Amino acid sequence: MTWEVPDRASPRVISVVIVDDHPLYRTGLAHVLDGVEGVDVVGSVGSVEDYERLGARPDVVLLDLYLPGTRRGEGVARVCRTASAVLVLSAAASPKAAVEAIAAGARGYLTKDADAIEVISALRTVASGLTYVSPTLAGYLLASHSGGSGGPVLSDRERQVLSLVASGETDRGVAAALGVSTHTVRSYLERIRDKTGVRRRAELGALASRLDASGGPHSPSGRAGAGRRSGAESHS
């Protein structure tokens, strides 16, 4: 089966090594990736030690966080020495585990209940130099990466854009509410996606809800923008 996933990266082939101690999952993942154009699985092993013995320098390592003989952050750090990017695939949906993995150098974190399309999208995202985090954990990571100062990771204007998107505004509706161009709105959205790893528009709404729940500032004009929606969308 060939998985049709839009390739936002360059046409170069992405070399991948899978490191997971569950043979069935490892084999299944390799089978999925073998059907993806522009992805080459160059190795599949069951431990960090076996990975190091390979002597490979892949573009991306898909790494299980809980491997025998290694602590979570230690395994990530060791693999990061030779891999261009590490994407953690873990059964743990623990925010603490995700924070530890990112702090140790991982460029992305997904839980193992992610479907094939999301895994492929995340792989290509981290291979291109960006970060990808499972949407269920993105809000927590935003708060954690504020440096403990209480300040937002997103700027006030980025939070305003996020709030309006969550309320159902189109790009034009957000632009009308904030008095800026649609090009500017799209630039803000791309910055938000790069900072959070959240790519899909629907998931941005869920992220906005988590930020609101954590007490983060949001746009007081969000509701006003909603009132303009019908007029703005009539020009979409």
Side-chain angles (χ1 to χ4, degrees):
M1 177 182 293
T2 299
W3 297 91
E4 298 294 335
V5 180
D7 189 352
R8 296 182 294 103
S10 64
R12 70 180 178 85
V13 174
I14 302 168
S15 59
V16 177
V17 173
I18 301 168
V19 184
D20 193 293
D21 64 325
H22 293 91
L24 187 60
Y25 184 83
R26 192 169 70 235
T27 301
L29 185 57
H31 177 72
V32 168
L33 295 179
D34 281 341
V36 179
E37 184 178 357
V39 175
D40 182 20
V41 178
V42 298
S44 177
V45 295
S47 69
V48 172
E49 288 78 10
D50 287 344
Y51 168 75
E52 290 171 333
R53 280 192 284 268
L54 278 179
R57 291 186 174 272
D59 296 313
V60 180
V61 170
L62 301 179
L63 176 68
D64 185 1
L65 194 59
Y66 294 95
L67 291 169
T70 58
R71 297 181 179 180
R72 293 180 296 215
E74 176 197 352
V76 173
R78 285 168 61 182
V79 172
C80 281
R81 293 171 192 162
T82 55
S84 296
V86 172
L87 173 60
V88 169
L89 287 169
S90 176
S94 159
K96 180 180 178 182
V99 169
E100 288 179 357
I102 298 296
R107 195 174 287 167
Y109 192 101
L110 279 179
T111 54
K112 284 187 175 180
D113 60 359
D115 62 22
I117 298 297
E118 185 173 13
V119 171
I120 296 163
S121 178
L123 186 156
R124 284 181 168 156
T125 297
V126 301
S128 72
L130 301 176
T131 299
Y132 192 104
V133 179
S134 185
T136 57
L137 297 169
Y140 185 92
L141 290 177
L142 273 174
S144 298
H145 281 261
S146 65
S149 63
V153 173
L154 300 182
S155 69
D156 288 344
R157 182 47 64 96
E158 287 166 348
R159 284 174 178 258
Q160 288 175 338
V161 170
L162 189 61
S163 178
L164 288 165
V165 167
S167 74
E169 292 287 1
T170 62
D171 289 354
R172 284 193 178 186
V174 175
L178 299 179
V180 298
S181 69
T182 54
H183 175 76
T184 298
V185 169
R186 287 164 187 159
S187 294
Y188 279 123
L189 286 171
E190 194 57 33
R191 281 185 229 163
I192 293 167
R193 289 178 172 120
D194 287 347
K195 287 182 178 182
T196 65
V198 177
R199 311 304 303 179
R200 299 171 187 166
R201 196 176 185 95
E203 291 165 355
L204 289 173
L207 173 59
S209 297
R210 291 188 191 99
L211 289 175
D212 286 344
S214 68
H218 56 84
S219 167
S221 62
R223 290 300 175 189
R228 297 187 183 98
R229 187 179 309 139
S230 59
E233 290 182 347
S234 65
H235 299 289
S236 298

